[in-house]
Amino acid sequence: MRERAIELMQDARLIDGHNDFVLRLRIFYQNRLSKVNLRELNKTHTNLAKLQAGYVGAQFWSVYVLCSAQNKDAVRLTLEQIDVVKRMCNSYEELELVTTSQGDALSCISDSRRIACLIGIEGGHSIDSSLATLRMYYDLGVRYMTLTHSCNTPWSESSSKGIHNFYPSVIGLTAFGQEVVKEMNRLGMLIDLSHTSYSTAKAALNISKAPVIFSHSSAFSICNHSRNVPDDILQQLKKNKGIIMVTFNADVLACGRKVVNVFTLADHFDHIKKIAGSESIGIGGDYDGVESFPQGLEDVSKYPSLIEELLRRGWNETEVKGVLRDNFLRVFREVE
Amino acid sequence: MPGGRVLVLALALRLLLPCAGQNYQEEAKRIMTTTPVIDGHNDLPWQLLKRFNNQLGLPEANLTLLNGTHTNIPKLRSGHVGGQFWSAYVPCDTQNKDAVKRTLEQIDVVHRMCELYPETFACVVDSAGIEQAFQSKKVASLIGVEGGHSIDSSLGVLRTFYHLGVRYMTLTHSCNTPWADNWLVDTRDEPPLHHGLSPFGKTVLEEMNRLGMIVDLAHVSVETMKVAMNLSKAPVIFSHSSAYGLCPHRRNVPDDVLEMVASTGSLVMVNFYNDYVTCEDTATLADVANHMDYVKKVAGAQSVGFGGDYDGVTRVPTGLEDVSMYPMLVAELLARNWTEAEVKAALAENLLRVFKKVEEVKMTMQGTAARETPIAFEELEGTCRTRYGYSNGAGTARLLPAALALALLHSLLS
């Protein structure tokens, strides 16, 4: 089964929806790439060698900046994070910045050493309520924006309550929030609904003309954490032809249960397949964004263990390839 | 009768020979048809912000019909403007506040201008792009950020501005940055902070050389001019400054600096603002021509260019009321015995030379690493900033790195 998983992944390497490694670069190295060897670094869940061992073919790097920077220097910080991704992907021959589904970099699977870099913004506070700033981020190569992180923006509501005190009266999407979604559709930027409140997610699903994503969320039915997606929204997602990239954060997978392992994670996959179909599923590990991961999935080299388990549970090859990359590519092409 | 024939002959001659003034104008237009002007600085984007809040879709914002500004499309056409550095300017009072976002908005409005009027504007990012636009008879449109405060002392922001098409940065506007001194320091209105560039300022300049972004020294103090010109590997520009020797205003370039302009192959793009041309509130086209003559005399014909500052100032000379009037100025230069080669140099070739040199320097520096050392947090002012990422570095760290990392990760969990 393990060999089958590896064979499959060699042929269809993973496109992962969310990784916060770039934040660690800021915290540990002040974005000074000259101080660190990305291939061998062992302070983090992620390094290039592990990504290759995990058969990762493409990675959305999150250019997250803390909510506490909202109304302060969020824009400057976001630009700095985008800059470090560009420099990182320029400095290592295994990495290549990609901004489209067209062409070789995302669709071609021949070179097993190369990893495509994509950029995702995590939190609408990064645009400081400016559509021009959103456009400039798109020009810089950003291809998704998570509408909120754990704080409300002046125009969108987060699922996190009580962590921050920003804009407490905002519910779902305001009129301006709708303008943001429409502009994202027009630009061809993927709308990411992880971290948003259910009102926000429903509103976005209603008005978006394109499929949307959840870059790193799991199933509320299995674990009723506010970061997870309830069945009714999963059904809306299916109609929208969007994708939920299931996340590996042990806290949102297991709701406090002691044993969290690949079975726990696979339960989420099974449930979502039942409600929304396997074509609505992808993978968004959230490595280096959170601390606790299931046993056997401690870092980015462990993805094959998940695939092995899905195969063991009777998922067929088409379904697994869909989860690995084809579902995401479908969504990306639609959005473009 | 003999007198009658002489009269007829004289009349005939008058009809056949146009008067000298008209000749120069036609000559100017002839030259500018193949060598249009590349102007160093125009603040139309600022007008678009002030008047329309950047809403280019409003009927009043139609650039073909726009009136009340120095610049609109028909005027650019009659003025034979072939290249324009549009200024992405935000005022000094945004420093330490929302300067970065505001600057992105001004960069965006130039991009959208090119998208909305593709038959007129061609947004380009290199010297080859300008030359192509000349061929296709469009206005090559480039972006210059006016004031170092726009990058909020961040090299990452500087680099992303370059990615967004910004091809020059004026190191200061009329305020000091944490790393460069502005011209007001020379008027004694402000005390000097850095006597030119701080160590971080030098890093900024080196990074600009590496990126291939032109260094613009309009608005900076004399010490900053000298330090920059000594340090820069590439020639620099003054995108909109005139000659101090003719009008001793501290926005202008003094003679010793003009000599450095000559020896570094740099460029002074003469500003038309009355206050910098005559040091009074009125001026004429001839006064501007005097500045161009002066720069040519002191620094050579290869050091002169046009930097009108249209739509950035209110008082412009009679004879140069708007951007359609460049040919009249060129006619005056021809009347003053500028050769066609000298005129073409001032119109476009000097700027293209400088730009190509800047691109060459970028090529030679390819493969050198990006400058990464951030500015020391203590050098920054204002409360509109967070300090995360800094606590790990040398200096006054308030939290141990591990503890900080855990605290941050905790806030990431939702």
Side-chain angles (χ1 to χ4, degrees), chain B residues 354-376:
Chain B
V354 169
F355 202 178
K356 285 179 178 155
K357 263 274 139 54
V358 166
E359 291 167 342
E360 251 173 58
V361 167
K362 176 193 170 97
M363 286 296 301
T364 62
M365 293 180 80
Q366 222 175 28
T368 58
R371 294 293 187 289
E372 293 187 311
T373 313
I375 194 171

Side-chain angles (χ1 to χ4, degrees), chain B residues 175-379:
Chain B
C175 52
N176 291 342
T177 66
W179 43 272
D181 280 355
N182 82 99
W183 67 280
L184 290 172
V185 149
D186 293 326
T187 64
R188 312 297 168 86
D189 271 359
E190 278 177 30
L193 281 184
H194 315 288
H195 293 283
L197 295 173
S198 74
F200 184 76
K202 293 180 180 167
T203 303
V204 170
L205 193 145
E206 285 162 3
E207 189 66 357
M208 290 173 76
N209 279 169
R210 191 190 72 88
L211 287 170
M213 195 187 287
I214 307 172
V215 173
D216 175 21
L217 301 177
H219 283 276
V220 307
S221 72
V222 174
E223 277 191 285
T224 308
M225 292 176 196
K226 292 178 176 172
V227 169
M229 289 173 78
N230 277 326
L231 181 61
S232 174
K233 292 189 167 74
V236 305
I237 66 174
F238 290 77
S239 64
H240 55 306
S241 298
S242 298
Y244 188 87
L246 286 184
C247 159
H249 191 295
R250 280 302 175 188
R251 270 284 282 109
N252 286 338
V253 188
D255 287 0
D256 56 349
V257 177
L258 282 178
E259 275 158 35
M260 293 175 81
V261 167
S263 62
T264 54
S266 297
L267 179 62
V268 173
M269 305 178 91
V270 170
N271 190 326
F272 298 179
Y273 182 37
N274 295 353
D275 301 31
Y276 303 159
V277 169
T278 55
C279 283
E280 288 166 22
D281 55 13
T282 55
T284 65
L285 180 151
D287 294 317
V288 177
N290 290 345
H291 278 267
M292 299 192 73
D293 270 338
Y294 189 92
V295 174
K296 179 166 96 135
K297 187 179 73 183
V298 178
Q302 72 284 0
S303 309
V304 197
F306 294 77
D309 209 2
Y310 281 113
D311 282 317
V313 295
T314 45
R315 295 183 282 277
V316 288
T318 45
L320 287 171
E321 288 81 358
D322 61 43
V323 301
S324 67
M325 306 302 276
Y326 291 99
M328 307 302 279
L329 178 53
V330 172
E332 177 63 16
L333 296 179
L334 290 166
R336 292 173 182 217
N337 289 324
W338 283 52
T339 66
E340 182 169 326
E342 289 171 337
V343 161
K344 285 180 164 176
L347 281 169
E349 287 162 9
N350 290 338
L351 184 284
L352 286 169
R353 178 196 79 238
V354 169
F355 202 178
K356 285 179 178 155
K357 263 274 139 54
V358 166
E359 291 167 342
E360 251 173 58
V361 167
K362 176 193 170 97
M363 286 296 301
T364 62
M365 293 180 80
Q366 222 175 28
T368 58
R371 294 293 187 289
E372 293 187 311
T373 313
I375 194 171
F377 193 78
E378 297 67 41
E379 291 174 28

Side-chain angles (χ1 to χ4, degrees), chain A residues 20 23-24 26-35 64-66 68-69 71-73 75-77 79-80 82-83 86-87 122 127-133 135-137 139-140 149-150 160 163 186 195 225-227 249 251 288-291, chain B residues 97-98 100-101 104-109 111-112 115 151-157 159-161 163-164 210 369-375 380 383-394 401-402 404-406 408-414:
Chain A
D20 276 296
L23 176 65
R24 300 287 203 125
R26 172 179 283 273
I27 295 174
F28 293 138
Y29 302 104
Q30 285 181 300
N31 288 351
R32 295 165 75 167
L33 293 175
S34 55
K35 303 270 175 206
Y64 170 66
V65 304
L66 292 182
S68 50
N71 298 330
K72 290 187 179 172
D73 52 357
V75 175
R76 174 208 209 250
L77 293 170
L79 289 179
E80 291 183 331
I82 293 173
D83 168 68
K86 281 175 169 302
R87 287 192 290 121
E122 187 177 15
I127 66 168
D128 198 11
S129 302
S130 161
L131 293 175
T133 304
R135 286 188 284 269
M136 295 297 93
Y137 287 154
D139 275 357
L140 288 167
H149 189 256
S150 52
S160 302
I163 301 187
R186 189 189 73 87
H195 283 284
H225 190 292
S226 65
R227 275 277 284 110
N249 176 0
D251 292 345
D288 283 316
V290 292
E291 273 292 286
Chain B
K97 292 182 183 161
D98 54 354
V100 177
K101 169 181 113 164
L104 288 179
E105 295 185 328
Q106 295 315 97
I107 294 171
D108 170 72
V109 83
H111 287 193
R112 288 191 291 121
E115 278 164 34
I151 63 167
D152 199 13
S153 303
S154 164
L155 295 167
V157 172
R159 285 186 284 267
T160 53
F161 281 177
H163 284 302
L164 290 169
R210 191 190 72 88
R371 294 293 187 289
E372 293 187 311
T373 313
I375 194 171
L380 296 169
T383 53
C384 261
R385 58 180 75 260
T386 55
R387 58 170 299 155
Y388 86 102
Y390 270 104
S391 307
N392 197 46
L404 177 65
L406 279 174
L408 284 165
L409 286 168
H410 180 75
S411 78
L412 276 173
L413 288 174
S414 38

Side-chain angles (χ1 to χ4, degrees), chain A residues 218 222 246-269 287 292-298 302 305-307 309-310 312-313:
Chain A
S218 295
I222 307 282
V246 179
T247 201
F248 297 9
N249 176 0
D251 292 345
V252 317
L253 288 180
C255 279
R257 266 177 287 155
K258 281 233 169 63
V259 176
V260 191
N261 54 30
V262 71
F263 300 134
T264 332
L265 177 59
D267 287 344
H268 281 262
F269 278 82
Y287 282 106
S292 35
F293 283 84
Q295 289 163 16
L297 291 167
E298 293 82 1
K302 313 286 190 199
S305 307
L306 166 65
I307 302 305
E309 178 60 18
L310 292 180
R312 209 184 56 76
R313 292 183 181 209

Side-chain angles (χ1 to χ4, degrees), chain A residues 99-113:
Chain A
T99 54
T100 173
S101 67
Q102 314 294 318
D104 283 345
L106 265 192
S107 350
C108 208
I109 33 107
S110 56
D111 188 339
S112 63
R113 271 180 30 96

